[in-house]
Structure formats: structure tokens, C-alpha cells
Amino acid sequence: VKEIKVAQIGTGFMGKTHSLAYRALPTFCPADVEVNLVVLADVTEQLASTGARMFGFENWVVGWERIFDHDIDVVDIVTPNDLHPVIALEAARLGKHVICEKPLAVDVAQTLEMVEAVEEASVVNMVCFNYRQTPAIRMARKLIDEGAVGEIYHFRGQYLQDWCVDPQSPFVWRFQASKAGSGSLGDIGSHAIDYARFLVGEIDQVVAMTDTFVKERPLPGSQTMHPVDVDDAVSMLFRFKNGAMGNLEASRFCYGRKNMLTFEINGSEGSLYFDWEHCNDLLYYSARDQEDRQGYRDIKIGPVHPHAEAFWPIAGINMAYFETAVLQACEFVTAIAEDRPAVPDFRDGLQIAEIMDAALQSAAGGGWVKVKQVV
Amino acid sequence: VKEIKVAQIGTGFMGKTHSLAYRALPTFCPADVEVNLVVLADVTEQLASTGARMFGFENWVVGWERIFDHDIDVVDIVTPNDLHPVIALEAARLGKHVICEKPLAVDVAQTLEMVEAVEEASVVNMVCFNYRQTPAIRMARKLIDEGAVGEIYHFRGQYLQDWCVDPQSPFVWRFQASKAGSGSLGDIGSHAIDYARFLVGEIDQVVAMTDTFVKERPLPGSQTMHPVDVDDAVSMLFRFKNGAMGNLEASRFCYGRKNMLTFEINGSEGSLYFDWEHCNDLLYYSARDQEDRQGYRDIKIGPVHPHAEAFWPIAGINMAYFETAVLQACEFVTAIAEDRPAVPDFRDGLQIAEIMDAALQSAAGGGWVKVKQVV
Amino acid sequence: VKEIKVAQIGTGFMGKTHSLAYRALPTFCPADVEVNLVVLADVTEQLASTGARMFGFENWVVGWERIFDHDIDVVDIVTPNDLHPVIALEAARLGKHVICEKPLAVDVAQTLEMVEAVEEASVVNMVCFNYRQTPAIRMARKLIDEGAVGEIYHFRGQYLQDWCVDPQSPFVWRFQASKAGSGSLGDIGSHAIDYARFLVGEIDQVVAMTDTFVKERPLPGSQTMHPVDVDDAVSMLFRFKNGAMGNLEASRFCYGRKNMLTFEINGSEGSLYFDWEHCNDLLYYSARDQEDRQGYRDIKIGPVHPHAEAFWPIAGINMAYFETAVLQACEFVTAIAEDRPAVPDFRDGLQIAEIMDAALQSAAGGGWVKVKQVV
Amino acid sequence: VKEIKVAQIGTGFMGKTHSLAYRALPTFCPADVEVNLVVLADVTEQLASTGARMFGFENWVVGWERIFDHDIDVVDIVTPNDLHPVIALEAARLGKHVICEKPLAVDVAQTLEMVEAVEEASVVNMVCFNYRQTPAIRMARKLIDEGAVGEIYHFRGQYLQDWCVDPQSPFVWRFQASKAGSGSLGDIGSHAIDYARFLVGEIDQVVAMTDTFVKERPLPGSQTMHPVDVDDAVSMLFRFKNGAMGNLEASRFCYGRKNMLTFEINGSEGSLYFDWEHCNDLLYYSARDQEDRQGYRDIKIGPVHPHAEAFWPIAGINMAYFETAVLQACEFVTAIAEDRPAVPDFRDGLQIAEIMDAALQSAAGGGWVKVKQVV
């Protein structure tokens, strides 16, 4: 049994999720490890101490630098995006394995620095595109790999939310380019880009448009307005290297769409459709079925499907966000235990940063932009 | 009671549909008219005579020019696209009202000629974007007009079919640019462009990509291959003049999507979603509902909704394609009876041709293209 | 070509529907007939004359007896239920073919009289359970006949509407036992019973409960209340002769369910599900599919499916109520042309009356009631 | 902080679920408690020791009696049903709080003994109808309590699965009356009965039918067949004490329905619909909405809804089975911390046993059976 001592920085939604997943590993993850939650950091004593109690950490510190006072193997970064690089670089310098929320950094240059640091340090590194852990998406990948969809003609992806439509919704770091990098693009669109690559392949070129519908927002608990300098929405067309056509839209301005993360893939033998809001259903159409009984099959994901074996005895019990977090943590600790790269790693994160950079360039200047290939 | 004597050219799917609609008018259309189906034309005696019997025409002729031997008021054009202009021009020259399937012609220049001809002749003219007649789409328009959706941020449209995926599906005129103008773009995408304009407004600029997945097809009943020179699929981004972001995709290569014609509109007060495959459901989300009970409402369209009053006593009885054809015919004959323009008219068809032309230019040359405004 | 001269009695919803269907027959029905709409009857000159104009009848009369002044072959009965028997008996006596709306009469005794009359007269007779004409239901039957569902374990049916929930909704004949026979049971439940028999087989015994939620209603345009003496809702369990378990519910008190007519059938090899509100979708689950890709298939009904060949060129164009009416009329005139029984005929209507009678007996007295078998 | 020391008996699906929930309490449950997993029992060393490691128990024992060798406060019973009573009685005798899986016992008599034991011992007792913990069901209850549905006319419930259709699926204790009490009725139908009571009220009388489609099954890993003496399916009608009509079906023979747990409630002001397979959606129809925009609202359950506040920051992140288990454990430990009864308690379990007993009596003897009221 390999012991893995975890330090985590951040106590927000992702701090909650990651810590919960670590504690659930013994139940669901076959890796021969013992994960100990050693220390939790945040910017105030209140946040750090409350977090430590709720999330099961033995210790807490104020200020991320203090985690290194403890004996740790892993640094888990769940801070605002602009802090990812400095923490990751220090962790790599000290030979710690690193798992980091997405997007890795606010721009390509910083992302590249992070990649170089972890690769030079030869530490296990992973970027948290947790949705690709969804068993339904794994089943989609299996069907594609088996040729059940045939040659792919179309990919269309969406990630739509509605929590920003209200102009009185306060200014937070996600609306600030220097802290977030981009808006809907990096926050949610990056997930859709991730599974576009995971399912269909690399993206060759892109054209995009963006908009910022609400130009300024009140600071929290205040009447003072602060300008928003990130995209509220992005829409893009792209061409995959394998020739498939793609499009993708990310917006936080779609009333009624709470966390609608979809894809549709159409190929020469069949089609696939998925919507995270019904995350236990994978729709699959097979043109090989007898003609008069073809139709999108609503496959209810359960223990016969990839990535779902460890959870519940039948389909329909349902899995959700929690399970994706467990699968992600399991991949990370298994990679450490087996001394192999984790998937997706920082280099995947860099490729996604390149795609987002091309999209932002296109949105700013018009026209198609070639995507730099770094994997 | 005004008598309206109809000549129809063409006996395919649309010939069947239009003639059926005329015969149903007394039951559903309040216009004070008596429509008589005088003469039907097609290219062979077999087609014309069978059609006349099945569709209820008094006479039939071989060759469209022969319709003018009969005493007629209206020319109804349901031929391949390349024949639309010559027939429409002759009809206009002779002072006949004209109703014509979409797209009006194979390019902008010919479409413009048609517009000029009918406008000079002052005849009632209508282009058959029948889907905008759908009661659910009318209800969407009503909600938008009332401000229920607020300021519009997003429009996304799709028209997806799958009848072309099989490469053995034979070469027909719809695959030939000289006869069809374009492929999926004009055949189906034009409908989505029509309701984008109908619901949101004029389009200012566009960027598009197209592809032809199957480059040649066998001639009907033959092994000889004929090249395909139209788009199998088109995907585009656009900006409306009112600032809204738009995107739209049309493809006949989406297995499982038989006639999936959708839109989603997101605004500052709510959202709308529609899919023709469930054409009696309009989904409407109101951000004005109490917070804990907001949700997309599945409005079942029935007699309390616009354009549906004449049909059935309760929602759930269901309407479909037939009813859109009746509503379209009703609008046309009512315009004649009331001596007013029909909606949508040839000038609407021209504006759509301009948008399609801009999309094809963009697909050929890259980058954003400004749409010429002609309405 | 056989000429068929039709007299129709009644100008309500069903009068509209039946007449529309006759006029559409040349387009869709292969029968070698020429149907002429000779005479329309209703109880006032206003109703009859307006109906004749809207529905395309050559003549109109006030009072059903007057139809026999005209030269007719067929009597089409679309009156309130209590008038069905007297008209049908007279029609049979005069050797006319008869088509009659459901339920055939207000009780078993009168229904039996009707059956005996038409059988003695050897006229073609048909009862209008139009929903079984739905192509999706025909495809369900085809799958069952082929064994795709295997041995049937379960049938569950629903017919739910909501137009009676408002207690101010006025008293009409449908709320009166002497005119309607029963309430939801006969009005809508009978359709579900019809396709239960059509798809699964005869019903052996039944237990039922009913309720009348609104005990009196205002007479139309009045404050005077009239008692309601029919069921607002009925719920029943039954056992088919082949051993399958069944249940069925009919109610006009289900807010949001406009015309929700469903069935689910589960068998040893698969399942079927259908909801009329999405009447172009048949859901089919095959346990013979590979385990990891089983799922309810959403079969979009189109020209490759039974009963849908004559209509539209691809699935997704959609069919609805109109098409069921055409198919029903086509079956009736084809039976006349071919001098064969129509399906379903009056004897089917009698069997359904027996099942309804057993249900009402059970609801009144408690316990299981054996259904008399008459087919 | 109150310490709660837990002993758990059983390491199957429910053992996994309960233990996982306890470990997640600090993150999600506001109760001021510290839960320690002290000892886990099962029938073999292999099961017990593996379980202890995977589920986080400090100790394990072989044989449930041995748990009392440890210092414990709570006995958590997740064994086959026939063992529930003896364990619960011993726990109560020793003054331990008890949480027990459903159904409580194999018959009413044993259930009553359990109720008397825990009530006499004044220990906190809870029965694990976890689905009523679903936030969507809590929101349904809130809407009903607020009068948003009005007077209730109809309840219909379903619990459908398909894991038993295959006759080769081996004989396990769930197919044996002496161990399980009943089949689908107690295993799954009891959940639907639980929320029928929770949402609508007590059931006054019932009529039911049952069937056993596969009469014998092979013993695990063997060719030897063992007779099945429980119901494979049950279907029932009932009348609530408040007058509402109800029906309910439970079957494990419905191919394609993996864990389809539904209800629909129709009242004088609106309707509700829920299907566990899409457990984050509550459908709500309000007849108070403006007439032309009424429709079932798809409410996506999130932090603004009851019971969901503690989990995720927005709707659409999704909850599933895990969250119901956490909520159930939270209710239990909170009741202990606050020294108040837990809900639902053993007496609720007894009332459900009475309803099931009435259903089985009816199925055996025919006719309606009055339900004994014990709450």
C-alpha cells in the first residue's frame, strides 16, 4: 500500500469536491494506496479551519506557501486561475505531484511554463477536466473506437449556463481577465474543447466570435460597478485535423440551461448524443440496425459500461458529479501508484490553451486562425 | 366570394402538399374565396395525368408553358429550383399571382430578377417557407413581441437530416449546383435562416464553413457516378443587426435526425426552444417565475395559440406538416382576396438569398462577410 | 372506379375530421373509388348549411332522417352517442354501409342491437377507433407479431386530458349518462381499450374504480347547475386471456395532459412505449441488442413503416390526427370497394362495450368482473 | 460535538451506500456530531475484512452478535430482510439507536414487534426509504403543502426494473418469501408506497393483482432450480383517505426500465411529475399560469430547493443516489443529536407493511381490502 499525503489549496466548490473524492477512494478505487489528507490552505483562518473540519484534513494553514511546512506528496490546486502557475511551479520545484483545476493558467505562456516545470521535475501532473470522466462519455469513446459511429462528419458541442444573466449578479474573479484568463470560454467552454479532443481528435483551425453582454457588475455587497473584461459567451466553428466539421458554443447567458453540457457526433455509421443534465443517458443511433427499427437508443449507463463498474449494482441508480470527481481522483492516485503519467495531463491543458488562444485571436481579429499543435 | 383559379407546375412532394392544402381551405381558412384547381403541369403525361387525378385538378398539361392556355389567376411553382425564375417571370408578365417553393432561384442575380418582375407586375407573390407557419413558431414570435424573452442574446438554429449519408443514395437534382443552387444550405438551411429573421431580425454579417462528404453519387438506376458540386453541410456564425449572436447548422449527414429543425433563443428575461420533430411543443423559460419553480415550460400548442385556432378543439390532438401547408395557402389566397402583399414574399426570399450568398462566399474565401440588406 | 356517395350526420369536431379525410382520399388512398359527399345533416339550418360549405357537401338537410331523401351509399354518424343506434338501425334497414363514432351506444344492449342490425343487413360497418390507425401503433403491432417483444408480461395504458378540471367548464352532453353512456371511460378510455385488444389480445376480467370530482356544472351560458352523472376518471386493472397483466387509466382531470394517450408493453424479449402527444415516435427496447448498447430506441415513424407509406417522403415531416382520419376513411372505402368487412367493425365496438360494462359493474359493486366474450 | 459510534451489519450495496454517506456527513450535514465507524459485521471474514477496508470501519467481526462487543451507539442494519427483526430487537434491548433497510421485516407481525421494541426502548429508529430524501420529491412536497397543486385527484406511481426478466438470472434471497417477505412489492413497490403517503396521505383501501412470471430459477453457479415464491410484479388501485384515486405498479420485468421510479399527481390547481431516472428534474404544471403559456415546467433542482442547499453551487451539477444516502444519514444522526424522532421511523415502516399486507390479501383473494391504520 502506497501512502499518498495530500495538500490542498482552496476551499470553494472544487475544494469540497476534490476532498470528498479522496475520502471516497477506498470504496470505489482499486488503486493500492492510502490517501491521507494532510493539510488544507486558504486565505483566511476562517476558511481554512472550517474547510479542514468539513473536508477531513488533519491540518490547515493560512497562505498556500505554508503547505510545504508539512510532509506531503501531492499538491491539489483549487484556487482562482491566476494562482495556479506560481503554486504549480513551486510544487514541481519541490518534486510534488500536482493536480490542478482548469484552465491551467490565464494564458498560453504561463501554461507552457507550468508544463515545462512538471515535465522537467518528472512529477505526475493532471488537469481537472472532470467531465471526460463521465461514464457516458467513456462509453461514447468506446463506441467511436470500435467504429460504431464510422467516419466522423460532425461534432457539435455546447456548454450553456444561466447564472450570469442577471446584471446585478456581483463581480467576482471569474469576470476579470487577469484572474480568469477568459470568461465562458475558459470556465466552461474548455470542458467542451476537452471532450471534443477526447472523442474526435485534434483541432486544426478555428473561427470564433465572443460578446460581453453585461459590461460592468457591482462589487459584492456594494453599489460600486466594476468593468467586466472577459467574454460572456463564445461561439466557434472549427475543423478537426481528421477533416470533421466542428462547432461549439459556451455561454453563461442562456436562461433555463443550468449546466447543459452536450455533444452530438454524426458519422458514416451512426450518431451519438449526450447532455450532462441527463448524465446517465447516452444516445446512440446505429445505421446498422434494421431499417424499420432504427432510432436513437437511450442507453442507461450502469455497471456494464466503462468507468461505471465500481459504483452501483444496476443502471438507473444513477451517477452524477460526485462520481466524476471520484474517477478523476482515482486516475490521479493510480498514476502515482503505478508511476505513470496521468490523463489528461498538463500538456493536454496546454493544447486546450492553444485552442482557446486561437479562438480569442479570431474573435478579436476576424477570420480563421490555425491552432498550434503541442501534443 | 372571390374565385381563384390555380395552375400548379410540379407533382412531387410539394405538388402533393400544395394541392392538398388548397382543397382543405374551405374547412380551415376564413378567406372569402373559392379556390379551383384548374390545371396541373409536369414533364410527362404520366406524371401530369396521375397527379391531376390524385391532387384534384380539372386538367393537366405536359410542359409548364401550356398552363397559360387555361384561364388562371395563380401560378404555383413546385419544380426544381432552376426552373423557378423562367416560370415566375412569365407568370408575372401575364399578371398572374405567383407562389413559389424555396429557394427562389439558384443565385442572387436570378432571385433579384424574379423580385423585380413580380413587383413591377404588382402581383401577389409568396415564397414557401412553410415552417414559419407552424403555430408553435407563431407563439414564439408572440412571446418575443410581448417582451417575454427580453433583449435577445443568442439564436441557435439547426436543420439536420440523414437521407444523404448513404453514398449509394442516387444523384438527383438536389446534388447539382446548376439546378439547386446549393445543397443543404438552400434546401434546408434556408428554412432556418427564414425563422431566424422572422423571430430575431436581420443578419448583418456571417462566417461559414461547408463540406461535401460524398464527392460523387451513382445516377439513378445506374452504376455511373456523377460528381456532387453542392454542400452536404454548412455551419455558420452570424451577428444580427440588433447585436444578438447567432449560429446555424444545416446538414443532411446526421444519422438519426430525420427532419430536426430547431431553434433556441436566449434573452434577458427568458428563453425559447423548439424542435420540429416535436412540433406541437414550444418550450418557454421565464425568469419572471418564482425562483424555486422556474423551468422550461412545455407548452402544448392548441386552439388558444396563434395560427392554431382553426384546427382542432384541444391541444394534444396535434398538428403537423399538413397544417403548415394549409396556413401557407390560406395566407396566399387571403392576400389575393384582400389585395395586399403576402408574407413572406419574394423580397424576403431575396434577403435569404443574400444571406446564403454571403455564407457561400465566406466558406469559399474565409472570414466574415457582410450581408447586403435588400428589405 | 366505384362511386361511393356519402351522407354525414353531425358537424362538430368529428364531422370536420371525417369530411376532410374523404376529400383527401384521392391523394393518399389507393382504393379504386370515387367518394362524393352528397349530403350533410345537423339539427339547425345554420349548422348544416355552414357545415356543407366548409366540409364540401353538395347538399344539406335539417334532421338526420332527411338524408335518406338523397341517393346515398354510406351513412357516417358523428352525433352524440345516444343517437348512434337509431340512425345506424335505419341505415342498416335501408342497406347503407355505416361508419360510426365511438362508443357505438350508451350501453351494451343498444350496441348489440346495432351489431345485429348491420350483420343482418350485411352492410360494411366500422367503428371509429381512429388512434389504432396511427402508423406508430401499427409498427408496434408489427414488432409484436414478429416476436420482437416476446411473450407479453405487462400492458399499461393511459388516456389523460385536462379540459374538465375547471368546475366552471359548462355542462355538455358528454357529462350526461343518458347521452354519453359513460364519461372518461367511453369518451377516451375506450380508445385505450381498443389498442389494448389490438396489440395484446382479449381481456378476461377486470377490476375498476371511478370517481366524479365535479358533481355539477353550469348549463352553457347559464348559472343553473346540472348534475354530472358520469365518471370523470376511471382506473382499472385487468388480466388478458393470454395471461398478461394490464392496467389502464382514463381521466379528464389531469392538468397538463392535453391528449396523452400512452401504452407500454413489456415482454420477454423487449418493450414498447408510445405517447400520442409525440405521435411520430415509437420507443422500442430490444433485449437482443448487445448488452452494453441496449436502450429504448426512438423510432421516428416514416415511409418505411406500416400505414405511413402513402404520406410523406421522409420521417420527421410528421403525421398527426389528420393522417389517422385519412387512414380510417381509406380502410372503410376500401372495404366497401372490395366487399369485405372493415376493421374495426361494430362487433369490435361491442366487445369494447362489454369491457366497459364490466368495469362499471366492478366500480359500482367492488371486486373482479369477468368480461363477456363476443368476438 | 456529540460522538456517534456506528456498528453496521452487512456489506452489500446498502452497506457500501450507508458507510459512504456517514463518511461524507462532515462535508454536507450541519448536525453537530462526530460519526465514527466502529465495527462492521458480515457472515465471512472475507466479506467483513474487505468491507471494513473499503468502507472505512476501524474493526470487523464475523456474525452480527459480535458487534455488541464494541462500544457503539448505533446499529445500522443492511442485511437480508429476515434478519432485520432479530438484530433490531437485540439492539433495542441494549438501548442502541437503530437504522434499518426496508422493508423492515417479512410480515406485519414481525414488523410490529420491531416497532414495539424500539418504542419501548425509546431509541431513535429510522427506516431507509431513501428516495423520499430526493430533493425533487421534497420540492414536490413543498408545492403540495403550499397548495400549488390544489385538491389532489390522482396519484399514480411506478417502480419498474428489468434485472429479473432473464429466467437464467440466478435464485437469490430476494426471490424467497421466507427471506424477503415479498418480491417486487416489498423490494421496490414499498418505496413508491412510501412517497405516496409522504406526498398525498394515508391509503384507505386497496385492490391488487400479482404475478410470478418465472416460476423457478437456477441456484447461483448451479443447474439446480429453486422455486420462486414471491411476486415478480404487482399492480394495484387504491383510494386515499382524503378521497384521491391512486394506482401503483411495481415490476422487475420491464425491459428498458432500469430503475424507473415515477409519480404523477394531478390536482385542482396543477400537476407534478417525477421520474427518478432523471432525478434532478421535477415537472410542475400550474393552471394559474396565463392560459396561452401553461405547460409542464421542467424545474432543474439545485441549491434554491429543499434538501439540496448543502450540495452544489448551481442546478445542473446534478445529484443522484449518493446525495439521498447522505441526506438520510444526516436525518438519522441529527435526530440522535437533537434527541427527537427520525423520519420516516419504524412506525412508518409498519404502516407500509400494513398496506403491502392488504395488497397481498387482495391479490390472493380478490376484491378490495381495507388497510389497517397504525400511525
Side-chain angles (χ1 to χ4, degrees), chain B residues 107-118:
Chain B
D107 59 26
V108 165
Q110 291 195 0
T111 311
L112 181 58
E113 265 193 279
M114 293 170 74
V115 171
E116 287 171 348
V118 295

Side-chain angles (χ1 to χ4, degrees), chain A residues 16-332:
Chain A
K16 183 196 240 182
T17 305
H18 287 214
S19 59
L20 181 69
Y22 289 125
R23 283 180 291 141
L25 288 180
T27 303
F28 300 115
C29 181
D32 193 25
V33 296
E34 181 189 322
V35 176
N36 289 309
L37 303 185
V38 172
V39 59
L40 177 68
D42 210 318
V43 292
T44 69
E45 180 177 326
Q46 168 67 16
L47 287 170
S49 65
T50 304
R53 181 173 48 75
M54 292 180 66
F55 305 161
F57 283 84
E58 296 155 27
N59 307 285
W60 54 267
V61 293
V62 176
W64 66 265
E65 300 87 346
R66 299 284 308 282
I67 61 170
F68 298 108
D69 300 348
H70 291 264
D71 177 20
I72 58 174
D73 303 305
V74 158
V75 177
D76 184 323
I77 308 173
V78 285
T79 65
N81 304 343
D82 59 325
L83 287 173
H84 295 176
V86 58
I87 300 171
L89 265 60
E90 182 66 2
R93 196 181 65 82
L94 296 168
K96 311 301 182 192
H97 307 299
V98 191
I99 181 167
C100 183
E101 267 303 323
K102 39 52 59 185
L104 284 178
V106 298
D107 59 26
V108 164
Q110 290 195 0
T111 312
L112 181 58
E113 266 191 279
M114 293 168 75
V115 171
E116 289 170 348
V118 295
E119 291 185 350
E120 197 167 324
S122 290
V123 293
V124 174
N125 56 95
M126 186 170 186
V127 58
C128 296
F129 288 107
N130 69 299
Y131 286 108
R132 71 149 71 185
Q133 306 291 344
T134 309
I137 296 184
R138 296 295 168 138
M139 182 59 192
R141 170 72 181 263
K142 184 182 173 201
L143 287 164
I144 292 168
D145 287 350
E146 285 181 9
V149 175
E151 182 191 351
I152 294 177
Y153 299 132
H154 289 291
F155 169 90
R156 57 190 71 90
Q158 291 180 308
Y159 199 151
L160 309 180
Q161 298 183 331
D162 69 359
W163 60 274
C164 300
V165 192
D166 183 353
Q168 293 308 308
S169 178
F171 185 86
V172 291
W173 67 268
R174 291 186 187 280
F175 295 110
Q176 193 164 2
S178 61
K179 294 213 162 123
S182 60
S184 283
L185 176 61
D187 182 22
I188 54 178
S190 60
H191 280 293
I193 293 170
D194 178 60
Y195 61 63
R197 292 179 64 240
F198 179 65
L199 295 172
V200 182
E202 294 301 337
I203 291 171
D204 184 55
Q205 48 179 314
V206 61
V207 63
M209 71 192 299
T210 59
D211 209 337
T212 304
F213 301 117
V214 170
K215 307 282 194 265
E216 55 177 21
R217 292 178 178 275
L219 291 166
S222 155
Q223 305 267 23
T224 311
M225 304 300 279
H226 193 291
V228 173
D229 62 354
V230 299
D231 56 292
D232 282 336
V234 59
S235 190
M236 60 176 93
L237 308 181
F238 43 90
R239 183 70 76 168
F240 289 92
K241 288 175 77 176
N242 62 17
M245 294 172 72
N247 60 54
L248 188 154
E249 191 172 11
S251 173
R252 300 184 295 209
F253 271 72
C254 299
Y255 261 134
R257 305 309 187 181
K258 303 303 177 187
N259 201 45
M260 187 187 196
L261 180 55
T262 73
F263 63 80
E264 177 159 334
I265 292 170
N266 309 116
S268 59
E269 302 289 327
S271 291
L272 295 166
Y273 179 80
F274 173 76
D275 174 0
W276 169 263
E277 289 190 348
H278 291 160
C279 61
N280 294 285
D281 302 60
L282 177 68
L283 303 196
Y284 162 53
Y285 183 95
S286 175
R288 295 169 186 159
D289 286 337
Q290 190 177 323
E291 189 186 20
D292 68 355
R293 57 208 65 178
Q294 292 179 8
Y296 264 98
R297 300 180 190 183
D298 184 351
I299 303 174
K300 300 286 183 185
I301 300 297
V304 303
H305 297 111
H307 257 46
E309 306 86 350
F311 293 102
W312 312 113
I314 56 170
I317 295 292
N318 290 351
M319 298 164 286
Y321 200 80
F322 165 68
E323 283 83 357
T324 68
V326 171
L327 289 163
Q328 177 173 273
C330 183
E331 162 66 13
F332 183 56

Side-chain angles (χ1 to χ4, degrees), chain C residues 37-48:
Chain C
L37 303 185
V38 172
V39 60
L40 177 69
D42 210 319
V43 292
T44 69
E45 179 177 326
Q46 168 66 16
L47 287 170

Side-chain angles (χ1 to χ4, degrees), chain B residues 13 16-17 23 26-28 54 258-259 276-279 281 300 310-318 321, chain C residues 13 16-17 20 23 26-28 54 258-259 276-279 281 300 310-318 321:
Chain B
F13 167 28
K16 182 196 241 183
T17 305
R23 283 180 292 141
T27 303
F28 300 115
M54 291 179 67
K258 302 304 175 185
N259 200 45
W276 169 263
E277 290 190 347
H278 291 160
C279 60
D281 300 61
K300 299 286 183 185
F311 292 102
W312 311 113
I314 56 169
I317 296 293
N318 289 352
Y321 201 80
Chain C
F13 167 29
K16 184 196 239 183
T17 305
L20 180 69
R23 283 181 291 141
T27 303
F28 300 114
M54 289 180 68
K258 302 304 175 184
N259 201 45
W276 169 263
E277 289 191 347
H278 291 159
C279 61
D281 301 60
K300 300 285 182 184
F311 292 103
W312 310 114
I314 56 170
I317 295 294
N318 290 350
Y321 200 80

